[in-house]
Amino acid sequence: MAVNIEAYSTFELLNELRRRYSSLSKPEGRYIFLGPPGSGKGTQAANLHLSHSLCHISTGDLLREAANAPTEESKKLRARLEAGDLVSDEVVLDIVQRKIGTSQCKKGFILDGFPRTLKQAEALSDVLTTKNISLDGVIYFDIAEKELESRVCSRRVHPPSGRTYNLLTKPPKVAGVDDITGEPLIQREDDNPTTLHNRYVAYSDKTAPLISFYSKLGLLHTIDGSKSLEEVKSDMYHIVNKEG
Ligand code: AMP
């Protein structure tokens, strides 16, 4: 997709160049981020994307984008997302496969929200084997269910950038707007207690078994997701920068 650089200020362009330049010295990596909704994996994936220029593949974000298209198919997709039900493996795998093959993902990627079932994990292994790509690790953000509701229901998002805020722990500088662009923040439709419960049940039944799947493959790293954002970030960098 062509980008119109006239739309950005010189300051924004210089900042972006500085970010990319500093990420050149950072290691490549191919990771899966695993954890229940609200465990902080999306926030940390966004941090890692910025610091290391690894592409952030959030299947939830990609599906929400697809659900906004004005078609009958997207109406059905929107209903599944609003209910917190899982979308079919075929649809999700297709989205991931396309994204992994793009030039943005050459230095590596973070899969956030995928795989979510054993079947997806096996399909991913096949795709990666075909492409001759191996995973560097699976980072599991471990956190108890009782801590999730206040995190998820106070979450606010800036959809164009994926930046997330939390009204309790990381509020925006000005209420209701993104710190960088001043554009409005939204609350995701599925970030409410009822849908969260369904999403958590789907996570426990279908996604949690992946913890032992990847542990047996020797790929699993566990982070205590109940720690502060800064502590979790530092634990994540310890793993991806291979600091011991
Ligand atoms: P998330 O933003 O990761 O919490 O995902 C939001 C919603 O997107 C989920 O509740 C599911 O409905 C759907 N979704 C995201 N990733 C997947 C996946 N790997 N498989 C099936 N459904 C998914």
Side-chain angles (χ1 to χ4, degrees):
M1 191 174 62
V3 173
N4 174 16
I5 65 166
E6 298 299 331
Y8 297 88
S9 69
T10 307
F11 182 71
E12 285 169 323
L13 291 172
L14 281 174
N15 265 344
E16 177 60 11
L17 275 180
R18 194 174 313 144
R19 180 190 75 73
R20 289 194 189 196
Y21 185 73
S22 102
S23 75
L24 288 176
S25 58
K26 306 284 168 49
E28 294 190 356
R30 281 138 196 106
Y31 293 95
I32 292 171
F33 279 15
L34 201 62
S39 57
K41 56 189 190 315
T43 303
Q44 300 304 343
N47 285 331
L48 185 56
H49 157 71
L50 288 177
S51 59
H52 286 53
S53 288
L54 306 182
C55 101
H56 178 187
I57 306 178
S58 158
T59 44
D61 285 350
L62 294 168
L63 289 166
R64 277 185 288 278
E65 211 176 285
N68 279 331
T71 62
E72 269 311 300
E73 275 308 302
S74 23
K75 230 196 238 168
K76 286 187 211 146
L77 181 56
R78 201 154 50 237
R80 287 200 85 75
L81 297 181
E82 278 170 18
D85 293 336
L86 292 188
V87 171
S88 80
D89 293 338
E90 292 68 30
V91 169
V92 186
L93 188 67
D94 179 56
I95 290 184
V96 171
Q97 219 170 334
R98 281 185 214 204
K99 199 77 188 175
I100 286 178
T102 62
S103 60
Q104 290 165 299
C105 297
K106 253 198 337 237
K107 202 180 162 208
F109 53 77
I110 310 142
L111 290 172
D112 164 13
F114 180 90
R116 248 175 162 98
T117 62
L118 275 173
K119 205 170 148 217
Q120 289 182 3
E122 282 156 5
L124 175 67
S125 295
D126 293 345
V127 168
L128 296 180
T129 306
T130 313
K131 292 184 187 290
N132 208 12
I133 294 173
S134 47
L135 286 173
D136 291 276
V138 176
I139 302 184
Y140 165 46
F141 296 77
D142 185 16
I143 183 164
E145 183 186 3
K146 62 178 176 4
E147 301 199 36
L148 302 175
E149 186 171 319
S150 74
R151 284 185 174 209
V152 166
C153 297
S154 52
R155 172 157 65 187
R156 297 294 181 275
V157 186
H158 175 240
S161 67
R163 273 185 287 280
T164 58
Y165 297 85
N166 185 292
L167 300 183
L168 306 173
T169 54
K170 191 191 160 206
K173 290 183 188 134
V174 177
V177 297
D178 177 47
D179 287 352
I180 313 283
T181 62
E183 289 167 347
L185 301 178
I186 59 141
Q187 179 169 25
R188 280 172 41 180
E189 289 184 28
D190 57 353
D191 279 351
N192 63 71
T194 314
T195 309
L196 173 64
H197 179 70
N198 287 348
R199 289 158 67 200
Y200 189 80
V201 169
Y203 169 79
S204 310
D205 289 354
K206 301 193 168 131
T207 312
L210 298 184
I211 299 165
S212 74
F213 176 84
Y214 286 117
S215 171
K216 282 183 196 142
L217 294 175
L219 288 168
L220 195 79
H221 302 269
T222 301
I223 289 180
D224 178 354
S226 66
K227 292 204 258 182
S228 72
L229 281 177
E230 282 310 309
E231 287 170 311
V232 173
K233 186 168 161 184
S234 148
D235 289 350
M236 172 187 70
Y237 283 133
H238 191 76
I239 297 164
V240 300
N241 293 331
K242 305 182 171 76
E243 294 165 346

